[in-house]
Amino acid sequence: MLVQYTGMNKRVIAAVIERNGHFLVCKRPAHKHHGNLWEFPGGKLEPDESLPQAASRELKEELALKVTRVGDIKLSVSDAESGFIIEFVEIEAEGTIELLEHADFVWATVHELLDLPLAPSDRRFAEYLSGLE
């Protein structure tokens, strides 16, 4: 699903990393917005930064992972509260996860995702994955 952008939109990439039917989600630090909620890792795109560039930078900064492939946008969610457009993008990455930004991580099935306290946009994506939306 694609969204038209204007100069006012702030874009965020959310990395959808799946291995053997399990998705990587990370727990946000307590002091941040949506603290202690779970999310697909990623972050804000810098000006003139592409999705592949942002994915590589964010996953290296947050988890010490190397992006090997950037796939399709699975879903774009407009977060009215923040003004961000969150793009859930298929990502393949390699390396050993190091928690450089997050409090914890877990590999969860779609149904396990729905049992976690997810950030609002991440919950919408989990519901999309499960066919509830």
Side-chain angles (χ1 to χ4, degrees):
M1 173 184 296
L2 297 177
V3 173
Q4 296 251 339
Y5 300 101
T6 68
M8 301 294 286
N9 293 124
K10 298 177 279 183
R11 295 171 66 198
V12 170
I13 185 170
V16 180
I17 302 172
E18 187 229 342
R19 294 184 183 157
N20 302 317
H22 291 76
F23 295 88
L24 176 65
V25 288
C26 300
K27 190 174 188 180
R28 291 183 59 78
H31 68 279
K32 294 225 172 178
H33 183 62
H34 295 311
N36 291 322
L37 296 181
W38 293 84
E39 69 176 359
F40 290 83
K44 299 177 195 96
L45 275 75
E46 300 292 335
D48 300 320
E49 189 174 42
S50 69
L51 285 173
Q53 290 168 330
S56 293
R57 178 182 52 76
E58 287 288 347
L59 291 175
K60 181 178 179 184
E61 289 174 1
E62 293 183 0
L63 300 169
L65 293 177
K66 179 183 177 190
V67 171
T68 57
R69 187 181 81 76
V70 176
D72 296 330
I73 297 172
K74 301 295 285 177
L75 183 70
S76 290
V77 176
S78 178
D79 181 57
E81 180 183 327
S82 69
F84 290 114
I85 303 289
I86 302 164
E87 298 178 330
F88 292 86
V89 180
E90 294 176 323
I91 300 288
E92 290 180 13
E94 62 186 20
T96 301
I97 294 173
E98 295 178 38
L99 294 172
L100 304 173
E101 170 75 20
H102 294 90
D104 202 359
F105 77 93
V106 68
W107 291 94
T109 66
V110 171
H111 296 292
E112 291 167 339
L113 287 174
L114 294 172
D115 291 334
L116 292 171
L118 294 167
S121 295
D122 298 88
R123 174 146 313 273
R124 279 193 59 199
F125 181 68
E127 290 170 352
Y128 166 81
L129 282 176
S130 71
L132 296 178
E133 186 170 88

